[in-house]
Every structure is written in structure tokens, then in C-alpha cells.
Amino acid sequence: MSSALRSGASPYTWIASRLLFPLHEWLKRHDSVARLRDLERTQWMTPSEIDALRVERLRNFLKYISQNVPYYQSTFSALGFDPDTINSVVDLQRLPLLTKKDIRENTEQLKSRATTKLIRYNTGGSSGEPLVFYTGLDRVSQDVAAKWRATRWWDVDIGDKEIVVWGSPIEIGAQDRVRRVRDWIFRTQLL
């Protein structure tokens, strides 16, 4: 979708999606706007271009974790695995699966040394014990951009009235005054 006001969109939606939300994301140190632009550009690539981009990004990610994540430094070293040898997603089969047990036993070693701010998350614990893990701002920015792009596919933009159904009572309980104001500004309601 172009940056022009889409058919049927209100001026408020344009202000919210083009000015207020980008400012909100910038203040949170998210690069969601740039990631959205990238997602909207790459969604029109041919399948072969997407495959090439996927392998390039996978290789870069594996290089990053091999240099910055102690758990993967030792895992790759023990396996003699070189990220530069990745030519396909299928090449991931050479790596062992990461289990919940691995995460629980290696939480600190799974944190990137290059990430300055990590956000603690955990699962609901439906299997009996919640799984604690950490996410960096890059991942949060990517998630926000992906949701933003997906809602645009449905002709819904930031600032359009929206109801979000979420299965996490923790999130609902965490709605403090700032979040309520934010949701009011962006005309979204969390159920």
C-alpha cells in the first residue's frame, strides 16, 4: 500500500499510521517502519528472488549467532559447522534441534553478547512449567512490522478502529495507564 491516503481511510488513520505510530516506535527504539518498508518491498519478489534472499538472510543470521551467542559458538564448533556453507534451508538439518530443556539449561549462553537490551518473555506453562526466553528489539520490531503489513493486506492500518483478541491474561493484566492511552490514540482495543 502506498503512503498516499487509501480509499476510504480517514485523515486520522493517515496521521496515526504515518506520524504518530512511527514516532511511538522511534521512541521505543524499534525500527519497525524500516522493516515494514522492507517487507512491503520484498513481498513482490519472484519465488527465486525470495529463495535467494531467504538463504542470504539465513546465512547472515547463522554467522551472527556463531560470533555472538556462546551456546551456538560451542555447538557450531563441536559440529564443525560453518555458516558460510549454507546454500539452502535444507542445510539446517545438519544442526540439532533446540529443545525446551536446552533453553532452560542454557538460558544465559543463548543470549547474544551484541544485543544491548533484551526483553524477558515466558510461555504460559501449559506443559507444566513456563519457558523463559529473551528477545531483542530487532525481533520485536520485526514482529510489529509483520503484523502491520498483514493488517494492511486486509485494508486495516494503524489508526483504524481495531479489536485484538489475545489469549494471554498476563497481557491484559499488564494494561497500565500508558498502554491504555496508547491504545486509545491508535484506536485499538485488547480483549
Side-chain angles (χ1 to χ4, degrees):
M1 183 165 299
S2 73
S3 61
L5 186 61
R6 71 180 199 282
S7 163
S10 72
Y12 184 82
T13 296
W14 189 91
I15 291 167
S17 66
R18 301 306 187 279
L19 301 173
L20 299 176
F21 193 71
L23 176 62
H24 169 268
E25 291 297 283
W26 179 79
L27 290 170
K28 291 175 72 176
R29 294 197 211 166
H30 296 172
D31 65 347
S32 306
V33 175
R35 289 175 182 264
L36 173 67
R37 273 190 239 110
D38 185 54
L39 288 172
E40 289 184 332
R41 177 186 59 80
T42 58
Q43 72 186 351
W44 304 111
M45 291 178 150
T46 65
S48 61
E49 290 172 327
I50 290 171
D51 285 342
L53 181 62
R54 179 185 303 137
V55 170
E56 175 190 343
R57 288 184 176 177
L58 175 60
R59 192 178 300 122
N60 289 340
F61 173 71
L62 293 170
K63 285 180 189 178
Y64 173 87
I65 66 173
S66 73
Q67 296 166 1
N68 297 294
V69 179
Y71 177 84
Y72 284 106
Q73 280 182 314
S74 62
T75 299
F76 290 2
S77 177
L79 294 170
F81 178 79
D82 180 2
D84 285 321
T85 64
I86 292 289
N87 294 308
S88 161
V89 174
V90 175
D91 292 336
L92 288 175
Q93 292 176 358
R94 295 186 287 169
L95 297 174
L97 291 176
L98 183 66
T99 66
K100 287 181 179 181
K101 181 180 181 216
D102 295 332
I103 295 169
R104 284 188 179 104
E105 292 176 357
N106 298 285
T107 303
E108 290 304 311
Q109 292 80 21
L110 282 162
K111 293 178 182 177
S112 170
R113 292 186 301 249
T115 302
T116 56
K117 182 179 180 187
L118 292 171
I119 303 160
R120 183 184 188 269
Y121 288 93
N122 57 272
T123 63
S126 59
S127 63
E129 184 181 350
L131 180 67
V132 174
F133 58 97
Y134 293 84
T135 301
L137 292 178
D138 285 346
R139 170 61 192 267
V140 174
S141 295
Q142 189 68 32
D143 288 350
V144 169
K147 183 213 180 261
W148 195 357
R149 177 184 62 170
T151 58
R152 282 181 165 191
W153 287 339
W154 307 319
D155 205 26
V156 176
D157 206 343
I158 305 292
D160 286 327
K161 291 181 181 177
E162 173 186 46
I163 293 176
V164 178
V165 179
W166 192 253
S168 171
I170 295 169
E171 183 69 24
I172 291 171
Q175 293 298 308
D176 58 13
R177 178 179 247 191
V178 172
R179 286 185 177 162
R180 283 193 303 274
V181 169
R182 177 202 63 200
D183 289 351
W184 178 79
I185 289 170
F186 298 123
R187 302 194 315 177
T188 188
Q189 183 177 354
L190 178 64
L191 299 178

